[in-house]
Amino acid sequence: MEAFDPAELPELLKLYYRRLFPYAPYYRWLNYGGVTKNYFQHREFSFTLKDDIYIRYQSFSNQSELEKEMQKMNPYKIDIGAVYSHRPSQHSTVKLGAFQAQEKELVFDIDMTDYDDVRRCCSSADICSKCWTLMTMAIRIIDRALKEDFGFKHRLWVYSGRRGVHCWVCDESVRKLSSAVRSGIVEYLSLVKGGQDVKKKVHLSEKLHPFVRKSINIIRKYFEDYALIGQDILENKENWDKILALVPETIHDELQRGFQRLHSSSQRWEYLRKVISTPQNMKNDKCGPWLEWEIMVQYCFPRLDINVSKGINHLLKSPFSVHPKTGRISVPIDFQKVDQFNPFTVPTISAICQELDVVSTNDKDKQEHEAESESKHRVRDYKKTSLAPYVKVFEQFLENLDKSRKGELLKKSDLQKDF
């Protein structure tokens, strides 16, 4: 992967917005088939420019206006906000209180820094392939619940460009949800509770809610490789003491003695499972299989940023935005291949600009005799770079949205015929 130098960002962004940004599918997404009048025109975009200059309440009449503005501004970051009652660019002319956020996708933001108390390999903004498994588990757990427990069909997962993932739920009915309902959904999906001072963040009982049971079954598939081998969570006393803090004191001595005799996290984990389920320990109500589940959930379960999801007017970084620190593109993730997704092989802006350079040089000879329009030229440009497979994932997602919209329209027209 081409090394990224932040000093080159302004020049790279110019090229990216001029020739590589996938405007057509992007507009097709946010226009939602043009079914609702002014849906795209009333959408807020916000641009962060060089030196953290932040411009909110941008809005555009059509794809061409969006393109022109992005090529003029070359934003370091693009955020997408709500669809408002009026055009956001004219919000200052609307009388006080009338300018209201009306609709937005239901979004989720999962950030690796929220797991710093349970990952040993990295901290703060750093990630590696060992802790990335946390994101894989988070995507699997949240996606299953959104699909099966809530019946949401259109879920787009996107890599943030640095240390996390975002989910955009785009069903028509979901975009209309109130803030209170959004809060309820996030609440349902949250099991790890309490700030940095709270040691034990998960409380379960023997009777598990189906959502919790199914989530634990997903964690179980990854737990040994991720927690016991990769993170080695019971490697030494300092680490196993953190786990002892999550189980009743009555079994601490027994666990300490056993842990000292054993030689690996896997052995110690098996020993812990045995101790919490002996008839002697099960007699006191504090011991039982749920202790094992609580530890698994505390160490592996998704940690959502609640505020991002519940506010309709909350902004979230746009797909295909560029991360100014890593240079990585915020690309859609193919859910079918979520276990293979590797944040370190995501294309950087320097890499795709370099690829375009090579392609352009090769194409020059062919094109000397053909005059081509800029837009026709660009349509094919991202397809010639390593961004292409990610745009394809995005287009497949749009295809499904279209199909479902056409299905709804047919249903409506059939109903009308019946009267």
Side-chain angles (χ1 to χ4, degrees):
M1 192 53 63
E2 183 74 18
F4 169 68
D5 174 4
E8 293 172 1
L9 192 58
E11 284 309 307
L12 294 169
L13 285 170
K14 274 183 199 164
L15 185 59
Y16 179 63
Y17 290 126
R18 204 177 80 241
R19 294 191 48 191
L20 290 163
F21 191 90
Y23 291 104
Y26 188 76
Y27 173 75
R28 181 181 157 201
W29 169 39
L30 294 171
N31 192 42
Y32 287 103
V35 174
T36 309
K37 194 170 180 291
N38 289 329
Y39 207 75
F40 180 79
Q41 292 75 6
H42 286 194
R43 170 79 71 166
E44 177 188 4
F45 292 85
S46 119
F47 291 166
T48 307
L49 310 180
K50 193 171 187 286
D51 303 323
D52 281 335
I53 296 167
Y54 188 54
I55 310 175
R56 274 198 74 171
Y57 301 118
Q58 306 268 94
S59 59
F60 309 102
S61 299
N62 49 37
Q63 183 185 327
S64 144
E65 202 176 289
L66 170 83
E67 287 187 33
K68 282 199 187 90
E69 203 54 30
M70 277 166 63
Q71 290 168 14
K72 190 175 104 190
M73 299 280 214
N74 297 309
Y76 272 46
K77 179 172 173 244
I78 305 159
D79 285 290
I80 298 175
V83 176
Y84 283 84
S85 49
H86 303 74
R87 290 185 180 226
S89 57
Q90 295 165 3
H91 77 285
S92 52
T93 64
V94 178
K95 72 170 188 286
L96 214 58
F99 181 66
Q100 296 288 333
Q102 293 183 321
E103 292 193 15
K104 199 187 80 192
E105 298 74 10
L106 172 63
V107 292
F108 297 95
D109 179 9
I110 309 169
D111 193 322
M112 197 74 89
T113 45
D114 294 326
Y115 295 85
D116 278 1
D117 59 320
V118 290
R119 56 181 186 141
R120 297 182 58 203
C121 48
C122 307
S123 66
S124 68
D126 293 332
I127 61 165
C128 69
S129 57
K130 275 185 185 168
C131 55
W132 188 256
T133 306
L134 285 166
M135 292 296 129
T136 309
M137 289 189 277
I139 293 172
R140 286 209 172 277
I141 288 168
I142 301 295
D143 194 83
R144 188 215 60 77
L146 293 173
K147 179 184 177 185
E148 296 175 15
D149 303 359
F150 291 100
F152 300 156
K153 289 198 179 81
H154 304 286
R155 308 167 310 278
L156 177 69
W157 285 95
V158 181
Y159 169 51
S160 73
R162 192 176 196 183
R163 55 171 185 245
V165 294
H166 301 152
C167 177
W168 298 76
V169 187
C170 301
D171 305 38
E172 187 186 353
S173 57
V174 177
R175 302 197 304 268
K176 295 174 164 38
L177 294 176
S178 69
S179 188
V181 174
R182 291 169 197 249
S183 296
I185 294 170
V186 191
E187 198 53 48
Y188 175 94
L189 296 169
S190 301
L191 294 179
V192 182
K193 305 204 172 152
Q196 287 176 317
D197 317 331
V198 182
K199 283 201 170 122
K200 189 175 172 71
K201 294 182 165 75
V202 180
H203 297 272
L204 302 173
S205 63
E206 195 153 11
K207 284 199 171 73
L208 287 181
H209 185 286
F211 164 64
V212 182
R213 193 183 64 248
K214 288 172 182 174
S215 299
I216 290 169
N217 287 339
I218 291 172
I219 292 171
R220 213 177 279 287
K221 292 178 186 146
Y222 296 90
F223 190 74
E224 186 171 1
D225 275 350
Y226 164 71
L228 303 178
I229 297 167
Q231 296 292 328
D232 211 353
I233 60 172
L234 291 162
E235 181 189 12
N236 52 33
K237 188 170 186 314
E238 184 195 347
N239 287 286
W240 75 55
D241 278 348
K242 288 181 186 165
I243 284 180
L244 290 185
L246 310 179
V247 301
E249 280 184 23
T250 46
I251 56 172
H252 282 195
D253 290 347
E254 193 179 348
L255 288 171
Q256 283 284 12
R257 286 195 301 274
F259 285 176
Q260 276 156 2
R261 272 201 330 272
L262 298 163
H263 304 294
S264 72
S265 283
S266 297
Q267 290 174 355
R268 292 182 185 116
W269 182 250
E270 280 316 307
Y271 181 70
L272 178 136
R273 290 179 65 194
K274 202 168 79 189
V275 169
I276 58 180
S277 52
T278 61
Q280 183 62 35
N281 288 329
M282 296 268 282
K283 258 188 221 147
N284 84 41
D285 285 343
K286 292 188 177 149
C287 277
W290 60 86
L291 289 174
E292 174 196 352
W293 305 330
E294 286 174 344
I295 298 165
M296 289 169 80
V297 167
Q298 181 148 337
Y299 273 74
C300 302
F301 189 83
R303 300 180 173 202
L304 303 171
D305 183 330
I306 291 178
N307 292 324
V308 172
S309 303
K310 71 178 189 196
I312 299 178
N313 56 358
H314 206 294
L315 294 151
L316 185 64
K317 179 196 223 166
S318 167
F320 300 105
S321 202
V322 178
H323 197 291
K325 294 212 164 57
T326 60
R328 289 188 207 123
I329 313 284
S330 194
V331 291
I333 296 170
D334 182 351
F335 183 76
Q336 304 311 316
K337 298 180 183 157
V338 67
D339 287 294
Q340 287 81 55
F341 181 81
N342 177 353
F344 299 104
T345 59
V346 164
T348 60
I349 187 168
S350 25
I352 57 174
C353 289
Q354 173 90 35
E355 289 161 8
L356 187 62
D357 240 12
V358 172
V359 171
S360 304
T361 316
N362 296 344
D363 282 1
K364 261 207 181 99
D365 314 332
K366 293 180 204 164
Q367 282 178 8
E368 265 171 358
H369 308 298
E370 304 168 25
E372 257 184 297
S373 76
E374 174 84 353
S375 65
K376 190 176 168 196
H377 184 56
R378 186 183 49 242
V379 167
R380 293 209 315 268
D381 275 346
Y382 60 75
K383 293 186 175 170
K384 299 169 184 168
T385 71
S386 50
L387 193 59
Y390 299 98
V391 179
K392 206 170 178 175
V393 171
F394 187 51
E395 286 173 330
Q396 188 51 62
F397 169 76
L398 297 177
E399 217 39 56
N400 294 335
L401 261 176
D402 277 354
K403 266 189 210 142
S404 143
R405 194 162 37 236
K406 282 173 188 143
E408 285 302 312
L409 290 171
L410 279 173
K411 235 188 257 173
K412 275 182 194 160
S413 66
D414 284 351
L415 282 172
Q416 279 158 359
K417 277 180 205 147
D418 291 346
F419 283 109

